[in-house]
Amino acid sequence: MPAKILDGKALALSLREGIAREVSVLAQNTGVKPGLAAILVGDDPASAVYVRNKKIACEKAGLYPEEHLLPTSTSQETLLALIHQLNADSKIHGILVQLPLPSHIESKAVLQAVSPEKDADGFHPVNVGRLVEGDPVFVPCTPKGVIHMIDSTGLDISGKRAVVIGRSNIVGKPVGMLLLHRHATVTICHSRTKDLPSIVREADIVIAAIGKPFFVTANMVKQGAVVIDVGINRLDNGKLAGDVDFEHVKEHAGWLTPVPGGVGPMTIAMLLQNTLESAKRFAKQ
Ligand code: NDP
């Protein structure tokens, strides 16, 4: 039987409707409107699209969006000064710095300058530590979206074999940690992994976060597995493709996410949710 397709667009839409309702209740009860500041340095077209989509999603859900579009020549000092200003701004409850930054700016210093209490992407070391301890405040958006998608299948993650392909700080490692906290038995694979296909074949849950189109083939996937494709790759013909060979894997998997329309929309929904949760914490103070 072919895989059931996990519609990230529909799932994200229903989450965003719930967020919009909560935003309105929060504003009525406390006068606080969740504010998200997005910073984009440079003119990378893909990053510009992401930032614009995030702004539109904020507006639709009733959040207050602030966009800071800076030229490529922006100095690290200027960028840090802006972040300090946003850290102190009571209208702002979430700050995101769109990556990648131009090469003359040290990403680590910039991400560490964002207040851990407004770190909507969950990349600050304090939030990474809280996540590892199993007591997270901000969970990185894409990994949080991945877990929501698995939960939407009704599968009980506890005790399952999960294989994450990719070990980046923004996707692979935090996804692995979240699955571990949900009591999966987790293996994280990377470019030095030996005999990767045989490891992936054991998985009840496969997370592909590699950045290589069609990397996960049908013969790597166990019958009935839940396969979540995080990858976004631009093909020579201009189309987008994930890291999973969708057409063939769908004959083996139990559940499968498409690209586009899978994890991508969930990432934005989780960003709104992180900002809402942050605003609620500020409102309590
Ligand atoms: P990175 O480039 O930071 O990490 C890629 C990972 O894949 C690395 O750990 C690397 O291993 C591993 N890898 C590369 N080649 C192989 C191989 N041949 N065999 C096994 N492992 C391999 O990417 P990101 O984690 O940032 O992103 C991954 C993908 O997800 C990209 O396509 C990106 O565009 C997409 N993405 C999508 C998002 C969404 O919202 N849907 C959000 C973020 C990312 P090693 O560490 O050994 O080099």
Side-chain angles (χ1 to χ4, degrees):
M1 206 171 63
K4 295 189 186 111
I5 305 306
L6 275 164
D7 184 345
K9 257 191 189 166
L11 195 54
L13 182 65
S14 98
L15 283 165
R16 279 162 47 180
E17 285 168 356
I19 291 167
R21 283 193 292 274
E22 283 193 55
V23 165
S24 146
V25 170
L26 182 69
Q28 268 170 24
N29 293 347
T30 66
V32 172
K33 183 172 185 161
L36 176 70
I39 305 174
L40 173 64
V41 187
D43 48 15
D44 177 58
S47 295
V49 171
Y50 292 144
V51 169
R52 200 168 54 240
N53 288 344
K54 286 167 186 173
K55 184 177 180 218
I56 294 168
C58 269
E59 283 167 347
K60 280 192 181 158
L63 284 83
Y64 163 64
E66 212 174 86
E67 241 182 3
H68 295 268
L69 307 177
L70 309 177
T72 312
S73 58
T74 303
S75 69
Q76 181 162 321
E77 204 181 14
T78 304
L79 180 55
L80 291 178
L82 171 61
I83 292 172
H84 292 312
Q85 184 194 314
L86 294 169
N87 284 343
D89 186 339
S90 61
K91 295 192 301 303
I92 299 300
H93 308 94
I95 300 171
L96 82 91
V97 183
Q98 187 64 46
L99 299 175
L101 289 166
S103 56
H104 67 277
I105 296 177
E106 204 194 324
S107 301
K108 217 173 179 178
V110 171
L111 297 180
Q112 289 189 12
V114 174
S115 161
E117 312 313 319
K118 295 191 177 185
D119 175 31
D121 268 330
F123 293 160
H124 191 286
V126 167
N127 286 319
V128 175
R130 287 167 172 162
L131 177 66
V132 171
E133 280 190 340
D135 190 19
V137 175
F138 285 102
V139 175
C141 303
T142 301
K144 191 171 175 170
V146 166
I147 300 296
H148 258 282
M149 293 192 97
I150 300 170
D151 283 340
S152 77
T153 68
L155 180 85
D156 181 9
I157 295 174
S158 177
K160 298 294 184 299
R161 293 291 306 264
V163 172
V164 181
I165 318 174
R167 56 173 164 181
S168 72
N169 289 335
I170 63 171
V171 187
K173 283 183 204 163
V175 162
M177 202 46 71
L178 290 171
L179 288 164
L180 187 62
H181 291 319
R182 293 286 298 272
H183 312 297
T185 300
V186 182
T187 304
I188 301 185
C189 299
H190 45 79
S191 65
R192 315 277 180 95
T193 298
K194 295 228 165 37
D195 196 9
L196 184 141
S198 74
I199 296 170
V200 180
R201 261 194 298 274
E202 291 183 358
D204 307 300
I205 301 167
V206 180
I207 315 293
I210 309 142
K212 293 207 157 96
F214 315 117
F215 183 91
V216 177
T217 51
N219 66 348
M220 291 187 196
V221 174
K222 182 163 101 175
Q223 199 78 38
V226 174
V227 180
I228 309 287
D229 190 352
V230 180
I232 303 176
N233 307 288
R234 179 76 61 188
L235 303 178
D236 290 341
N237 62 11
K239 288 191 175 164
L240 287 182
D243 289 345
V244 175
D245 179 0
F246 184 90
E247 286 309 320
H248 295 104
V249 169
K250 81 171 194 283
E251 302 304 326
H252 283 245
W255 292 87
L256 177 59
T257 64
V259 178
V263 175
M266 291 298 289
T267 297
I268 297 189
M270 294 301 110
L271 178 68
L272 303 183
Q273 194 171 72
N274 278 354
T275 307
L276 168 64
E277 286 165 6
S278 174
K280 283 184 184 171
R281 285 191 291 272
F282 274 95
K284 267 195 195 152
Q285 284 169 12

